[in-house]
Amino acid sequence: MLELLPSLKGYTKKQTGRISLSVKSSTTERKHLWQAAIKWPLYSVAIMPVIVSAGWELGNSGNIRVGQFIGFLIASILILLWENLTNDLFDDETGVDKYKFHSVVALTGSKSTVSRVAYFSLLLGLFIIFILALKSKITVLFLVIICCFLGYLYQGPPFRLGYKGLGEPLCWIAFGPLATAAALIVISPKSNFDIIPWGTALIVGAGPAMATTLVLFCSHFHQINQDAAVGKKSPLVILGTHRAAEFLPWFVGLIFLLELLPVLLGIWPITTLICLISLPSGLDLIKLIKRHHNQPERIKNSKFLALRFQTINGLCLSIGFAISSFFYN
């Protein structure tokens, strides 16, 4: 900014006004790029396993370990920050982010800085998990490390399984039974789980994790050409946008099936039907993508619609678990 000042002497007031407007416009645009790069709403996917687990625990025992709960929230955000930053680094290497101006790598211009921040975030997150594990069960640390390993398999070399169409299954496993099992152990007030609660984690976490997977699935719609150009065989590249749009109602339907079936079987209380409040958000997403599946500019924010559905669905399910203790013994 200071370098511009000497060059303004020969300009008229009108011309200098244009330069000021241009600088202001550039600053505003860069601010918007940083907001897109940070993607703070996406951190809902990191905290949802522990929020749903907390709701389940409140409904069953009426209590959770609040300190452990907050610690797990913070650690989850830090670990997802590592995941997002390293994904930008790995995508920059393959060229898939060539025209992604809101990439953190593109904005900072320094891969080494992004890498240092990413791995510091990972180490800090794992350190918090280690402390939480010492206060509950050490198996929590191993469960979270496996989640991190799956996250690396998604984009990290030489695996890059996300480029082979396996990103969605990895996402479901990490944010479903693994993260939910770890969260259940951490927040349990009486250390109720002598072994890993796979059964509970699978039933409680299956639907919310599928909603998280939906966010990843929808994030590919607007970039199918870029993905195909670098050989990234995402589900959208394999299916095509039309077939993927036709598949979307089944995807959303599966989420509700996983959350309604336990109620019908008498496993969950009827209060968990509150999750149906998220249905309009799911329908909005389906309508948008069906109408504009092949128009990247019209659906570039579809992942945020999917995120809204995921957030409302998970929060409502958690509330449904929590308030069940007021109606049932």
Side-chain angles (χ1 to χ4, degrees), residues 39 41 57 137 140 190 226 257 274 279 298 302 313:
K39 299 186 288 284
E57 187 63 42
K137 295 287 188 299
V140 169
K190 300 177 182 178
Q226 296 94 311
L257 178 63
I274 293 176
L279 180 58
R298 300 292 295 270
S302 60
N313 180 267

Side-chain angles (χ1 to χ4, degrees), residues 49 72 76 79 82-83 122 126 140-154 170-183 198:
F72 203 97
S76 299
I79 291 171
W82 159 76
E83 175 81 6
L122 173 64
L126 288 177
V140 169
L141 178 62
F142 296 108
L143 288 170
V144 174
I145 288 175
I146 294 172
C147 288
C148 294
F149 179 64
L150 293 180
Y152 184 83
L153 288 178
Y154 173 63
L170 291 175
C171 177
W172 184 84
I173 295 170
F175 288 98
L178 287 174
T180 305
W198 290 121

Side-chain angles (χ1 to χ4, degrees), residues 88-103:
D88 272 5
L89 286 168
F90 299 143
D91 279 343
D92 183 76
E93 292 174 1
T94 61
V96 73
D97 279 356
K98 185 177 180 180
Y99 300 106
K100 185 179 177 181
F101 301 113
H102 62 274
S103 162

Side-chain angles (χ1 to χ4, degrees), residues 35-73:
Q35 289 174 342
I38 294 171
K39 299 186 288 284
W40 65 265
L42 286 175
Y43 289 87
S44 167
V45 305
I47 64 176
M48 199 53 68
V50 68
I51 289 177
V52 173
S53 298
W56 185 89
E57 187 63 42
L58 284 170
N60 280 271
S61 68
N63 191 21
I64 62 170
R65 301 168 73 182
V66 177
Q68 297 279 96
F69 171 77
I70 294 173
F72 203 97
L73 286 177

Side-chain angles (χ1 to χ4, degrees), residues 30 33-39 43 81-89 91-92 97 100-115 117-118:
R30 190 168 180 81
L33 287 173
W34 269 109
Q35 289 174 342
I38 294 171
K39 299 186 288 284
Y43 289 87
L81 176 61
W82 159 76
E83 175 81 6
N84 287 338
L85 290 177
T86 51
N87 281 352
D88 272 5
L89 286 168
D91 279 343
D92 183 76
D97 279 356
K100 185 179 177 181
F101 301 113
H102 62 274
S103 162
V104 177
V105 175
L107 287 169
T108 61
S110 174
K111 292 183 181 180
S112 59
T113 299
V114 175
S115 180
V117 172

Side-chain angles (χ1 to χ4, degrees), residues 14 16 48 57-58 65-66 94 123-124 145 155 158 162 181 194 200 232 255 258 279 295 302 321:
K14 186 175 182 180
T16 55
M48 199 53 68
E57 187 63 42
L58 284 170
R65 301 168 73 182
V66 177
T94 61
L123 291 175
L124 182 57
I145 288 175
Q155 290 284 69
D194 295 323
T200 302
K232 184 175 182 179
I255 294 168
L258 291 171
L279 180 58
Q295 301 174 51
S302 60
F321 283 133

